[in-house]
Amino acid sequence: MTPSKKQAALIVSTSILAIALVVLAAIPLTGLAITKLGRADHTRQSGEIDATSGILTDGTMTFFDPECVPLPWVKRLDEQKKYAEKIISCMDAMWRPAIDQQSHTGMSIPTVILDSPNRPGEYICGKTEADEETSFYCNSNHKIRIWKYRGMTEREMAQTVAHEYGHHIQNQIGVEESFRRMLATLQSDHRADRILHKRYEAQAECLGGFTFKYLLPEMADQFLADHDNGPEGEDINDTHPSYTNNRMWFQRGMNSITSCDSWSAPESEVL
């Protein structure tokens, strides 16, 4: 039977509506698939950090004891640079067997740049960083920049070198690369970005404590005693843990490298 004009119109309208519903139904499904891929990528990147960090903290690494004897501590900046270089040479000797076991290319040797308020900064990792009054490790060229502030003691110099060398170890073992990839997945999540940075810095501090104690046990104990108290409070905008938490990670490293898993630690321990 041939449909009437009203029936034909109704059939056409119903067909259009059915097509529209199919299209609309596909939209949230596509969005859901994208969301799931994003979460899967985030989980995969977390797994990469856990896996590479686990190489450091599973207790299987062996270390060489170079019987480190630091150079005399003098006031001249050029001599203090030599002091830092001597400590780093001890750290290289200590860590090389462990890193060479894990790396196909062998361990890279970092170089030291020493800057102070009386000496212009050197561009080693980008122009914006040269003017900062802070120490840092440049992962692209394995340079350690030490900011020699006024009143810096021998023990503080050794601890600063140890912390930045901790970043070098993260770089050599693959933690730093996994960390950078993880950061890229966070995009505009500022808080998650800061927390991840704090975990990265907490582990470097822990590795620094382990290295410092392994090579210079008496000096490490003295440094810890000298810095028993510090400013209270947490700053979510800072890339480093609070003074109290930073000291805690340093002390954990002094006790054992197996305690340096900052990636799975409670958030309260890295704030």
Side-chain angles (χ1 to χ4, degrees), residues 16-32:
I16 293 173
L17 178 60
I19 293 170
L21 288 173
V22 170
V23 173
L24 289 173
I27 293 173
L29 289 175
T30 304
L32 181 59

Side-chain angles (χ1 to χ4, degrees), residues 63-70 83-97 107 158-159 161-163 165 169 207-221 250 253-254:
F63 301 91
F64 177 69
D65 186 358
E67 297 183 2
C68 188
V69 179
Y83 180 94
E85 289 172 338
K86 170 62 177 178
I87 292 180
I88 284 183
S89 71
C90 293
M91 294 177 180
D92 288 335
M94 168 193 164
W95 276 93
R96 179 176 292 281
M107 183 171 172
Q159 184 276 332
V161 171
H163 174 89
Y165 197 90
I169 296 303
L207 294 173
F210 171 73
T211 305
F212 198 172
K213 178 71 173 182
Y214 189 93
L215 291 173
L216 303 166
E218 292 184 4
M219 189 185 294
D221 289 338
F250 181 83
M254 288 177 62

Side-chain angles (χ1 to χ4, degrees), residues 220-240:
D221 289 338
Q222 292 168 351
F223 172 83
L224 196 65
D226 291 345
H227 296 80
D228 187 40
N229 295 304
E232 298 293 332
E234 302 160 351
D235 183 1
I236 190 61
N237 292 313
D238 195 351
T239 56
H240 292 65

